[in-house]
Amino acid sequence: MALHSQLVRDPEYYIPDGNTVIQVENVLFKVHRYILSRDGSAFEGMFSLDNIPNSDSAETLIMPHSESIQTYPHSHSHLHHRHSSPEGASDKSPILLTGDTAADFRSLLWALYALPADVFAMPSTQPQLNRLIGIARIAHKYAFRTTESWALSVLTMCVCQAPDTPSGHDIHGDVEADTEAGRSIVSSTELLIQLTEVAVLCAHDELHEAVEPIWADLLFAGQTHDIVSAIGLADRYTAQLRPLLGLAYYLMMLKGKEEWLKSASGDDEGDPEKMKKPRLTRDQRIRLLSGYYNLSRACESLPSNPPKLTHHPSCYMPAQQAQQAIGLGGAGTAAAHAHARCGESWDTLWAGLVMNTASSNAMSNVKIQSVDLLRKMHMVNHVLENMVNGVDGMAGADGSGAANVASTFNMMGYGGAYAMAGNMNKHCLRMALKASEEKVNDVLYGLADCFVE
Protein backbone atom coordinates (compact mmCIF):
# COMPACT_ATOMS: atom_id res chain seq x y z
CA MET A 1 0.00 0.00 0.00
CA ALA A 2 1.61 3.25 -1.09
CA LEU A 3 1.66 5.99 1.52
CA HIS A 4 2.64 9.65 1.16
CA SER A 5 5.16 9.90 -1.71
CA GLN A 6 6.99 6.55 -1.99
CA LEU A 7 6.47 4.94 1.44
CA VAL A 8 5.08 1.39 1.51
CA ARG A 9 3.87 -0.86 4.29
CA ASP A 10 5.85 -4.03 4.82
CA PRO A 11 3.67 -6.98 3.69
CA GLU A 12 4.65 -9.17 6.65
CA TYR A 13 5.58 -6.92 9.56
CA TYR A 14 2.99 -4.20 9.33
CA ILE A 15 1.01 -5.87 12.12
CA PRO A 16 -2.52 -4.48 12.59
CA ASP A 17 -2.45 -4.57 16.40
CA GLY A 18 1.11 -3.26 16.65
CA ASN A 19 1.60 -0.04 18.60
CA THR A 20 4.77 1.43 17.06
CA VAL A 21 5.39 2.46 13.45
CA ILE A 22 9.02 2.43 12.30
CA GLN A 23 10.37 3.59 8.95
CA VAL A 24 13.47 1.97 7.46
CA GLU A 25 14.39 3.27 4.02
CA ASN A 26 10.99 3.69 2.34
CA VAL A 27 9.30 0.81 4.21
CA LEU A 28 6.94 1.19 7.19
CA PHE A 29 6.86 -1.50 9.88
CA LYS A 30 4.17 -1.64 12.56
CA VAL A 31 5.25 -3.77 15.49
CA HIS A 32 4.87 -4.20 19.24
CA ARG A 33 7.04 -2.12 21.50
CA TYR A 34 7.49 -4.93 23.99
CA ILE A 35 9.07 -7.07 21.27
CA LEU A 36 11.68 -4.41 20.51
CA SER A 37 12.23 -3.66 24.21
CA ARG A 38 13.41 -7.15 25.12
CA ASP A 39 17.00 -8.35 25.49
CA GLY A 40 18.19 -5.04 26.95
CA SER A 41 18.18 -3.47 23.51
CA ALA A 42 18.70 0.17 22.61
CA PHE A 43 14.95 0.44 21.93
CA GLU A 44 14.23 -0.31 25.59
CA GLY A 45 15.95 2.90 26.64
CA MET A 46 14.12 4.94 24.03
CA PHE A 47 10.68 3.55 24.87
CA SER A 48 11.26 4.08 28.58
CA LEU A 49 11.23 7.84 28.06
CA ASP A 50 8.02 9.41 29.25
CA ASN A 51 8.08 12.11 26.60
CA ILE A 52 9.30 11.20 23.13
CA PRO A 53 10.43 14.45 21.44
CA ASN A 54 7.44 16.19 19.85
CA SER A 55 8.28 19.67 18.75
CA ASP A 56 9.20 21.67 15.69
CA SER A 57 12.85 21.84 16.77
CA ALA A 58 15.57 19.41 15.78
CA GLU A 59 15.83 16.48 18.18
CA THR A 60 18.17 13.53 18.22
CA LEU A 61 17.98 10.46 20.41
CA ILE A 62 21.52 9.18 20.93
CA MET A 63 21.30 5.45 21.29
CA PRO A 64 23.91 3.02 22.64
CA HIS A 65 25.99 1.59 19.78
CA SER A 66 24.15 3.76 17.27
CA GLU A 67 23.19 7.25 16.24
CA SER A 68 20.64 6.03 13.77
CA ILE A 69 17.31 6.61 15.56
CA GLN A 70 16.65 10.23 14.76
CA THR A 71 14.04 12.86 14.19
CA TYR A 72 14.78 15.69 11.83
CA PRO A 73 13.86 19.38 11.84
CA HIS A 74 10.25 19.36 10.75
CA SER A 75 10.79 22.34 8.50
CA HIS A 76 13.19 20.18 6.44
CA SER A 77 11.35 16.87 6.66
CA HIS A 78 9.60 15.31 3.71
CA LEU A 79 6.87 14.33 6.21
CA HIS A 80 5.80 17.83 7.18
CA HIS A 81 2.92 16.62 9.36
CA ARG A 82 4.96 14.53 11.79
CA HIS A 83 4.31 17.02 14.57
CA SER A 84 0.62 16.05 14.65
CA SER A 85 1.24 12.93 16.78
CA PRO A 86 4.03 11.36 18.87
CA GLU A 87 6.70 9.59 16.90
CA GLY A 88 5.84 5.99 16.23
CA ALA A 89 2.13 6.50 16.83
CA SER A 90 1.05 6.42 13.19
CA ASP A 91 2.14 6.21 9.58
CA LYS A 92 2.28 9.99 9.51
CA SER A 93 4.91 10.17 12.26
CA PRO A 94 7.04 7.00 12.20
CA ILE A 95 10.26 6.54 14.13
CA LEU A 96 12.93 6.87 11.48
CA LEU A 97 15.92 4.51 11.51
CA THR A 98 18.79 5.63 9.31
CA GLY A 99 21.80 3.68 8.19
CA ASP A 100 19.88 0.39 8.06
CA THR A 101 18.29 -1.58 5.26
CA ALA A 102 14.68 -2.69 5.27
CA ALA A 103 15.90 -6.23 4.59
CA ASP A 104 18.08 -6.29 7.72
CA PHE A 105 15.31 -4.85 9.91
CA ARG A 106 12.87 -7.39 8.49
CA SER A 107 15.36 -10.14 9.36
CA LEU A 108 15.62 -8.84 12.93
CA LEU A 109 11.83 -8.88 13.28
CA TRP A 110 11.75 -12.43 11.95
CA ALA A 111 14.13 -13.48 14.74
CA LEU A 112 12.10 -11.64 17.38
CA TYR A 113 8.72 -12.98 16.26
CA ALA A 114 9.65 -16.44 14.93
CA LEU A 115 8.37 -19.67 16.42
CA PRO A 116 10.92 -21.91 18.20
CA ALA A 117 10.73 -24.49 15.39
CA ASP A 118 11.74 -21.81 12.89
CA VAL A 119 14.48 -20.38 15.08
CA PHE A 120 16.16 -23.73 15.72
CA ALA A 121 16.00 -24.98 12.14
CA MET A 122 19.52 -25.12 10.69
CA PRO A 123 19.87 -22.90 7.59
CA SER A 124 20.76 -24.75 4.42
CA THR A 125 20.41 -22.15 1.67
CA GLN A 126 22.16 -18.91 0.79
CA PRO A 127 19.06 -16.72 1.43
CA GLN A 128 18.80 -18.20 4.92
CA LEU A 129 22.47 -17.47 5.57
CA ASN A 130 22.00 -13.93 4.27
CA ARG A 131 19.14 -13.46 6.71
CA LEU A 132 21.28 -14.66 9.62
CA ILE A 133 24.06 -12.27 8.60
CA GLY A 134 21.55 -9.41 8.54
CA ILE A 135 20.24 -10.42 11.97
CA ALA A 136 23.73 -10.51 13.48
CA ARG A 137 24.62 -7.15 11.95
CA ILE A 138 21.55 -5.22 13.09
CA ALA A 139 21.28 -7.04 16.43
CA HIS A 140 24.83 -5.91 17.18
CA LYS A 141 23.98 -2.34 16.25
CA TYR A 142 20.95 -2.12 18.52
CA ALA A 143 22.40 -4.24 21.35
CA PHE A 144 20.12 -7.28 21.09
CA ARG A 145 22.86 -9.28 22.77
CA THR A 146 21.14 -12.65 23.01
CA THR A 147 19.86 -12.44 19.46
CA GLU A 148 23.30 -11.43 18.19
CA SER A 149 24.99 -14.30 20.03
CA TRP A 150 22.46 -16.81 18.68
CA ALA A 151 22.85 -15.63 15.08
CA LEU A 152 26.65 -15.72 15.24
CA SER A 153 26.67 -19.18 16.80
CA VAL A 154 24.40 -20.58 14.09
CA LEU A 155 26.51 -18.97 11.36
CA THR A 156 29.63 -20.52 12.86
CA MET A 157 28.01 -23.96 12.98
CA CYS A 158 26.90 -23.61 9.37
CA VAL A 159 30.41 -22.76 8.21
CA CYS A 160 32.07 -25.46 10.33
CA GLN A 161 29.67 -28.15 9.11
CA ALA A 162 30.76 -27.65 5.50
CA PRO A 163 32.43 -30.81 4.13
CA ASP A 164 35.96 -31.12 5.41
CA THR A 165 38.76 -29.75 3.29
CA PRO A 166 42.22 -31.36 3.36
CA SER A 167 44.25 -29.95 6.22
CA GLY A 168 47.67 -30.51 4.71
CA HIS A 169 47.23 -29.88 1.00
CA ASP A 170 50.00 -28.66 -1.23
CA ILE A 171 49.77 -24.91 -0.88
CA HIS A 172 50.43 -24.53 -4.59
CA GLY A 173 48.73 -27.69 -5.82
CA ASP A 174 45.42 -28.26 -7.53
CA VAL A 175 42.88 -27.66 -4.77
CA GLU A 176 40.01 -26.36 -6.87
CA ALA A 177 37.87 -29.50 -6.55
CA ASP A 178 38.51 -29.75 -2.81
CA THR A 179 37.77 -26.06 -2.39
CA GLU A 180 34.40 -26.36 -4.11
CA ALA A 181 33.48 -29.32 -1.90
CA GLY A 182 34.49 -27.51 1.27
CA ARG A 183 32.61 -24.36 0.32
CA SER A 184 29.29 -25.94 -0.61
CA ILE A 185 27.35 -24.00 2.01
CA VAL A 186 29.40 -20.83 1.42
CA SER A 187 28.41 -20.76 -2.20
CA SER A 188 29.90 -17.46 -3.33
CA THR A 189 32.82 -15.17 -2.64
CA GLU A 190 30.35 -12.37 -1.86
CA LEU A 191 28.75 -14.48 0.89
CA LEU A 192 32.20 -15.28 2.30
CA ILE A 193 32.95 -11.55 2.36
CA GLN A 194 29.73 -10.87 4.28
CA LEU A 195 30.52 -13.62 6.80
CA THR A 196 33.97 -12.16 7.35
CA GLU A 197 32.63 -8.63 7.72
CA VAL A 198 30.09 -9.62 10.34
CA ALA A 199 32.73 -11.63 12.23
CA VAL A 200 34.92 -8.51 12.33
CA LEU A 201 32.02 -6.18 13.21
CA CYS A 202 30.90 -8.33 16.12
CA ALA A 203 34.46 -9.32 17.14
CA HIS A 204 33.40 -12.97 17.03
CA ASP A 205 36.57 -15.06 17.14
CA GLU A 206 34.90 -18.41 16.45
CA LEU A 207 33.30 -17.27 13.20
CA HIS A 208 36.51 -15.50 12.20
CA GLU A 209 38.50 -18.70 12.72
CA ALA A 210 35.89 -20.70 10.77
CA VAL A 211 36.14 -18.56 7.63
CA GLU A 212 39.95 -18.33 7.59
CA PRO A 213 40.61 -21.81 6.09
CA ILE A 214 37.87 -21.25 3.51
CA TRP A 215 39.63 -18.07 2.41
CA ALA A 216 42.95 -19.91 2.23
CA ASP A 217 41.58 -22.69 0.03
CA LEU A 218 39.78 -20.18 -2.18
CA LEU A 219 42.86 -18.02 -2.70
CA PHE A 220 45.21 -20.92 -3.34
CA ALA A 221 42.82 -22.04 -6.09
CA GLY A 222 44.30 -19.04 -7.89
CA GLN A 223 41.34 -17.15 -9.36
CA THR A 224 42.47 -13.54 -9.76
CA HIS A 225 39.05 -12.00 -9.11
CA ASP A 226 38.86 -13.83 -5.74
CA ILE A 227 42.33 -12.59 -4.79
CA VAL A 228 41.38 -9.02 -5.73
CA SER A 229 38.19 -9.31 -3.64
CA ALA A 230 40.24 -10.53 -0.66
CA ILE A 231 42.68 -7.62 -1.07
CA GLY A 232 39.81 -5.12 -1.07
CA LEU A 233 38.25 -6.69 2.03
CA ALA A 234 41.54 -6.93 3.93
CA ASP A 235 42.42 -3.32 3.07
CA ARG A 236 39.19 -2.20 4.77
CA TYR A 237 39.98 -4.16 7.94
CA THR A 238 43.76 -4.19 8.00
CA ALA A 239 44.09 -4.56 11.78
CA GLN A 240 41.64 -7.47 12.04
CA LEU A 241 42.50 -9.35 8.81
CA ARG A 242 46.28 -9.22 8.64
CA PRO A 243 46.75 -12.93 7.77
CA LEU A 244 44.24 -12.62 4.93
CA LEU A 245 45.84 -9.38 3.77
CA GLY A 246 49.30 -10.92 3.67
CA LEU A 247 48.19 -14.06 1.82
CA ALA A 248 46.10 -12.16 -0.76
CA TYR A 249 48.88 -9.69 -1.55
CA TYR A 250 51.44 -12.51 -1.66
CA LEU A 251 49.48 -14.53 -4.21
CA MET A 252 48.76 -11.46 -6.31
CA MET A 253 52.45 -10.57 -6.22
CA LEU A 254 53.32 -13.99 -7.65
CA LYS A 255 50.98 -13.38 -10.60
CA GLY A 256 53.30 -10.63 -11.80
CA LYS A 257 53.01 -7.05 -12.99
CA GLU A 258 51.01 -7.98 -16.06
CA GLU A 259 48.13 -9.03 -13.80
CA TRP A 260 48.58 -6.07 -11.46
CA LEU A 261 48.14 -3.58 -14.28
CA LYS A 262 45.06 -5.07 -15.90
CA SER A 263 41.77 -3.22 -15.86
CA ALA A 264 38.85 -4.12 -13.61
CA SER A 265 37.32 -6.06 -16.52
CA GLY A 266 40.30 -8.44 -16.38
CA ASP A 267 41.53 -7.91 -19.91
CA ASP A 268 42.90 -5.25 -22.19
CA GLU A 269 39.96 -5.13 -24.56
CA GLY A 270 36.26 -4.49 -24.29
CA ASP A 271 34.18 -1.74 -22.73
CA PRO A 272 36.19 1.52 -22.73
CA GLU A 273 34.52 2.60 -19.49
CA LYS A 274 35.67 -0.55 -17.69
CA MET A 275 39.12 -0.06 -19.13
CA LYS A 276 39.40 3.24 -17.27
CA LYS A 277 39.09 1.55 -13.89
CA PRO A 278 42.21 -0.37 -12.86
CA ARG A 279 41.96 -3.73 -11.15
CA LEU A 280 44.19 -2.50 -8.32
CA THR A 281 44.65 0.98 -6.92
CA ARG A 282 47.94 2.83 -7.01
CA ASP A 283 48.47 2.23 -3.27
CA GLN A 284 47.84 -1.49 -3.72
CA ARG A 285 50.39 -1.70 -6.53
CA ILE A 286 52.91 0.14 -4.34
CA ARG A 287 52.30 -2.41 -1.61
CA LEU A 288 52.96 -5.23 -4.06
CA LEU A 289 56.26 -3.66 -5.08
CA SER A 290 57.22 -3.18 -1.45
CA GLY A 291 56.34 -6.80 -0.70
CA TYR A 292 58.37 -8.01 -3.66
CA TYR A 293 61.44 -6.21 -2.33
CA ASN A 294 60.96 -7.43 1.25
CA LEU A 295 60.36 -11.04 0.20
CA SER A 296 63.40 -10.96 -2.09
CA ARG A 297 65.53 -10.08 0.90
CA ALA A 298 63.82 -12.74 3.04
CA CYS A 299 64.54 -15.40 0.41
CA GLU A 300 68.18 -14.32 0.17
CA SER A 301 68.64 -14.66 3.94
CA LEU A 302 66.65 -17.89 4.25
CA PRO A 303 69.66 -20.28 4.09
CA SER A 304 71.33 -18.53 7.03
CA ASN A 305 68.17 -18.44 9.16
CA PRO A 306 67.25 -22.01 10.08
CA PRO A 307 64.25 -22.67 12.33
CA LYS A 308 65.26 -22.81 15.97
CA LEU A 309 65.86 -26.43 16.93
CA THR A 310 64.82 -27.64 20.35
CA HIS A 311 66.94 -30.72 20.90
CA HIS A 312 65.39 -33.95 22.08
CA PRO A 313 66.36 -34.94 25.66
CA SER A 314 68.21 -37.97 24.34
CA CYS A 315 70.62 -35.58 22.64
CA TYR A 316 70.82 -32.78 25.18
CA MET A 317 70.93 -34.55 28.53
CA PRO A 318 74.17 -36.52 28.00
CA ALA A 319 75.97 -33.30 27.09
CA GLN A 320 74.58 -31.52 30.14
CA GLN A 321 75.62 -34.40 32.35
CA ALA A 322 79.06 -34.33 30.78
CA GLN A 323 79.49 -30.72 31.81
CA GLN A 324 78.29 -31.27 35.36
CA ALA A 325 79.66 -34.70 36.23
CA ILE A 326 83.22 -35.59 37.07
CA GLY A 327 84.96 -38.76 36.05
CA LEU A 328 82.94 -39.51 32.93
CA GLY A 329 86.11 -39.39 30.90
CA GLY A 330 85.97 -40.04 27.21
CA ALA A 331 82.32 -41.07 27.24
CA GLY A 332 81.23 -37.69 28.63
CA THR A 333 83.38 -35.79 26.18
CA ALA A 334 82.00 -37.79 23.29
CA ALA A 335 78.43 -37.06 24.41
CA ALA A 336 79.13 -33.32 24.55
CA HIS A 337 80.71 -33.40 21.11
CA ALA A 338 77.78 -35.37 19.69
CA HIS A 339 75.32 -32.77 20.99
CA ALA A 340 77.31 -29.88 19.52
CA ARG A 341 77.68 -31.73 16.22
CA CYS A 342 73.92 -32.26 16.08
CA GLY A 343 73.24 -28.50 16.27
CA GLU A 344 75.92 -27.67 13.71
CA SER A 345 74.65 -30.37 11.38
CA TRP A 346 71.14 -28.92 11.49
CA ASP A 347 72.37 -25.46 10.49
CA THR A 348 74.34 -26.94 7.60
CA LEU A 349 71.51 -29.27 6.60
CA TRP A 350 68.99 -26.41 6.47
CA ALA A 351 71.25 -24.21 4.36
CA GLY A 352 71.93 -27.07 1.97
CA LEU A 353 68.26 -27.94 1.56
CA VAL A 354 67.28 -24.33 0.87
CA MET A 355 70.07 -23.73 -1.61
CA ASN A 356 69.58 -27.05 -3.42
CA THR A 357 65.79 -26.66 -3.63
CA ALA A 358 66.10 -23.14 -5.00
CA SER A 359 68.70 -24.09 -7.60
CA SER A 360 67.58 -27.48 -8.88
CA ASN A 361 63.85 -27.76 -8.12
CA ALA A 362 64.61 -31.44 -7.78
CA MET A 363 61.26 -32.34 -6.29
CA SER A 364 59.07 -30.48 -8.77
CA ASN A 365 58.74 -29.89 -12.48
CA VAL A 366 57.33 -26.43 -11.79
CA LYS A 367 59.86 -23.64 -11.55
CA ILE A 368 59.87 -21.85 -8.20
CA GLN A 369 59.90 -18.08 -8.43
CA SER A 370 62.77 -16.35 -6.68
CA VAL A 371 60.38 -14.58 -4.28
CA ASP A 372 58.11 -17.57 -3.63
CA LEU A 373 59.14 -17.97 0.00
CA LEU A 374 56.25 -20.23 0.97
CA ARG A 375 56.84 -22.73 -1.80
CA LYS A 376 60.56 -22.87 -1.09
CA MET A 377 59.88 -23.68 2.55
CA HIS A 378 57.17 -26.15 1.62
CA MET A 379 59.56 -28.01 -0.68
CA VAL A 380 62.28 -28.03 1.98
CA ASN A 381 59.82 -29.57 4.42
CA HIS A 382 58.84 -32.18 1.87
CA VAL A 383 62.46 -33.27 1.41
CA LEU A 384 63.10 -33.07 5.15
CA GLU A 385 60.13 -35.31 5.87
CA ASN A 386 61.50 -37.91 3.43
CA MET A 387 64.86 -37.71 5.18
CA VAL A 388 63.25 -38.28 8.56
CA ASN A 389 61.49 -41.34 7.20
CA GLY A 390 64.70 -42.53 5.53
CA VAL A 391 66.75 -42.20 8.71
CA ASP A 392 64.04 -44.03 10.65
CA GLY A 393 64.17 -46.81 8.06
CA MET A 394 67.92 -47.12 8.43
CA ALA A 395 67.51 -47.64 12.15
CA GLY A 396 66.16 -51.18 11.65
CA ALA A 397 67.80 -54.18 13.24
CA ASP A 398 69.90 -55.02 10.21
CA GLY A 399 70.04 -51.55 8.64
CA SER A 400 68.50 -52.97 5.47
CA GLY A 401 67.61 -50.44 2.84
CA ALA A 402 70.18 -47.87 3.98
CA ALA A 403 72.12 -48.04 0.72
CA ASN A 404 68.98 -47.69 -1.36
CA VAL A 405 67.81 -44.68 0.66
CA ALA A 406 71.18 -42.97 0.33
CA SER A 407 71.27 -43.73 -3.39
CA THR A 408 67.82 -42.22 -3.88
CA PHE A 409 68.83 -38.93 -2.23
CA ASN A 410 72.05 -38.87 -4.26
CA MET A 411 70.04 -39.09 -7.48
CA MET A 412 67.76 -36.30 -6.26
CA GLY A 413 70.75 -34.07 -5.62
CA TYR A 414 70.44 -34.23 -1.85
CA GLY A 415 73.22 -36.71 -1.11
CA GLY A 416 75.31 -34.27 0.92
CA ALA A 417 72.29 -33.08 2.88
CA TYR A 418 71.26 -36.66 3.61
CA ALA A 419 74.72 -37.42 4.92
CA MET A 420 74.49 -34.36 7.15
CA ALA A 421 71.13 -35.57 8.45
CA GLY A 422 72.90 -38.78 9.47
CA ASN A 423 75.07 -36.76 11.83
CA MET A 424 72.03 -35.64 13.80
CA ASN A 425 70.28 -37.40 16.62
CA LYS A 426 67.33 -39.04 14.86
CA HIS A 427 64.90 -37.63 17.41
CA CYS A 428 66.36 -34.15 16.91
CA LEU A 429 65.88 -34.55 13.16
CA ARG A 430 62.18 -35.11 13.74
CA MET A 431 62.11 -32.10 16.07
CA ALA A 432 63.79 -30.11 13.29
CA LEU A 433 61.00 -31.07 10.87
CA LYS A 434 58.42 -29.87 13.38
CA ALA A 435 60.28 -26.57 13.84
CA SER A 436 60.44 -26.11 10.08
CA GLU A 437 56.71 -26.69 9.71
CA GLU A 438 56.04 -24.16 12.47
CA LYS A 439 58.28 -21.68 10.67
CA VAL A 440 56.06 -21.96 7.58
CA ASN A 441 53.03 -21.06 9.70
CA ASP A 442 54.91 -18.13 11.23
CA VAL A 443 55.84 -16.87 7.77
CA LEU A 444 52.27 -17.31 6.54
CA TYR A 445 50.84 -15.26 9.39
CA GLY A 446 53.58 -12.67 9.12
CA LEU A 447 53.28 -12.02 5.38
CA ALA A 448 51.30 -8.83 5.98
CA ASP A 449 54.43 -7.24 7.46
CA CYS A 450 56.05 -7.47 4.02
CA PHE A 451 53.27 -5.46 2.40
CA VAL A 452 52.24 -3.03 5.14
CA GLU A 453 54.73 -0.70 6.73
Side-chain angles (χ1 to χ4, degrees):
M1 174 180 177
L3 297 174
H4 312 301
S5 61
Q6 298 179 351
L7 297 182
V8 296
R9 289 177 174 175
D10 186 79
E12 185 173 2
Y13 293 107
Y14 191 92
I15 302 172
D17 66 347
N19 55 6
T20 298
V21 179
I22 294 177
Q23 179 186 340
V24 185
E25 296 183 315
N26 69 324
V27 182
L28 295 175
F29 299 86
K30 190 175 183 181
V31 294
H32 302 90
R33 285 192 175 190
Y34 81 90
I35 288 289
L36 292 176
S37 298
R38 296 186 301 181
D39 206 10
S41 73
F43 290 95
E44 181 180 14
M46 185 187 75
F47 293 150
S48 68
L49 299 177
D50 292 332
N51 297 309
I52 297 178
N54 183 26
S55 68
D56 289 335
S57 62
E59 299 281 357
T60 301
L61 296 179
I62 306 299
M63 306 302 296
H65 310 283
S66 173
E67 296 182 352
S68 64
I69 301 181
Q70 302 179 349
T71 62
Y72 295 96
H74 296 155
S75 59
H76 297 92
S77 175
H78 64 282
L79 298 177
H80 297 288
H81 43 286
R82 282 187 178 176
H83 65 280
S84 60
S85 61
E87 283 142 321
S90 70
D91 292 353
K92 296 180 179 180
S93 57
I95 295 172
L96 179 62
L97 304 188
T98 62
D100 303 311
T101 67
D104 279 358
F105 192 70
R106 189 178 298 112
S107 295
L108 174 64
L109 293 177
W110 174 86
L112 298 178
Y113 278 100
L115 296 173
D118 296 325
V119 170
F120 290 106
M122 183 63 68
S124 58
T125 65
Q126 182 164 333
Q128 291 172 329
L129 286 176
N130 284 332
R131 179 168 62 187
L132 274 173
I133 291 170
I135 291 170
R137 186 163 48 222
I138 199 167
H140 175 80
K141 182 176 183 179
Y142 293 114
F144 287 90
R145 296 306 184 202
T146 303
T147 303
E148 175 191 350
S149 178
W150 163 77
L152 291 168
S153 296
V154 175
L155 284 171
T156 303
M157 285 190 290
C158 288
V159 174
C160 291
Q161 285 181 0
D164 292 336
T165 54
S167 59
H169 60 68
D170 182 340
I171 63 172
H172 289 274
D174 182 7
V175 298
E176 187 171 357
D178 294 324
T179 299
E180 290 303 317
R183 296 174 60 227
S184 60
I185 197 163
V186 184
S187 55
S188 69
T189 303
E190 180 56 35
L191 182 57
L192 183 56
I193 290 173
Q194 291 183 50
L195 285 165
T196 307
E197 287 177 334
V198 79
V200 171
L201 173 68
C202 301
H204 196 264
D205 293 340
E206 290 81 3
L207 180 57
H208 194 165
E209 292 171 1
V211 298
E212 276 188 344
I214 301 178
W215 270 117
D217 284 339
L218 177 66
L219 297 183
F220 280 128
Q223 297 298 315
T224 301
H225 59 85
D226 290 329
I227 297 174
V228 172
S229 295
I231 287 176
L233 175 65
D235 278 347
R236 293 197 299 273
Y237 304 102
T238 301
Q240 298 89 346
L241 299 178
R242 288 187 69 82
L244 177 62
L245 182 146
L247 181 58
Y249 271 97
Y250 178 80
L251 294 176
M252 178 57 76
M253 178 198 69
L254 294 180
K255 286 185 173 290
K257 283 187 178 181
E258 183 178 347
E259 288 292 322
W260 308 355
L261 299 175
K262 280 187 177 180
S263 66
S265 62
D267 54 41
D268 296 326
E269 298 178 358
D271 189 341
E273 290 300 318
K274 290 184 178 180
M275 288 294 299
K276 294 178 182 178
K277 184 178 180 182
R279 170 180 282 169
L280 299 172
T281 67
R282 179 177 179 274
D283 287 343
Q284 289 170 339
R285 293 195 296 270
I286 290 175
R287 282 187 174 185
L288 287 169
L289 290 171
S290 176
Y292 188 95
Y293 172 76
N294 290 328
L295 283 164
S296 295
R297 296 185 62 183
C299 287
E300 290 172 0
S301 64
L302 187 61
S304 59
N305 286 286
K308 184 177 180 180
L309 172 62
T310 301
H311 289 269
H312 189 270
S314 63
C315 175
Y316 178 73
M317 292 305 295
Q320 184 183 59
Q321 293 167 357
Q323 293 173 358
Q324 295 177 350
I326 299 176
L328 291 179
T333 302
H337 287 170
H339 172 68
R341 186 172 65 248
C342 183
E344 294 171 356
S345 296
W346 166 236
D347 292 345
T348 305
L349 171 61
W350 170 263
L353 289 176
V354 172
M355 296 297 291
N356 198 67
T357 299
S359 61
S360 67
N361 299 329
M363 295 296 289
S364 174
N365 293 324
V366 180
K367 182 176 177 58
I368 301 176
Q369 295 187 45
S370 61
V371 292
D372 197 346
L373 181 61
L374 284 179
R375 172 169 279 192
K376 288 180 178 181
M377 296 183 66
H378 174 77
M379 296 303 293
V380 167
N381 284 348
H382 184 69
V383 175
L384 189 58
E385 182 177 10
N386 287 332
M387 287 186 172
V388 169
N389 294 334
V391 170
D392 285 347
M394 290 175 62
D398 58 358
S400 60
N404 290 335
V405 172
S407 176
T408 299
F409 280 101
N410 279 327
M411 289 188 294
M412 293 163 51
Y414 290 97
Y418 185 70
M420 194 59 62
N423 291 330
M424 294 180 63
N425 179 295
K426 69 173 184 177
H427 299 296
C428 291
L429 184 60
R430 189 169 292 279
M431 299 288 283
L433 172 60
K434 180 180 178 181
S436 187
E437 291 170 342
E438 291 174 350
K439 186 178 178 71
V440 173
N441 291 330
D442 291 341
V443 169
L444 185 60
Y445 281 92
L447 280 176
D449 295 337
C450 297
F451 298 94
V452 181
E453 296 297 334

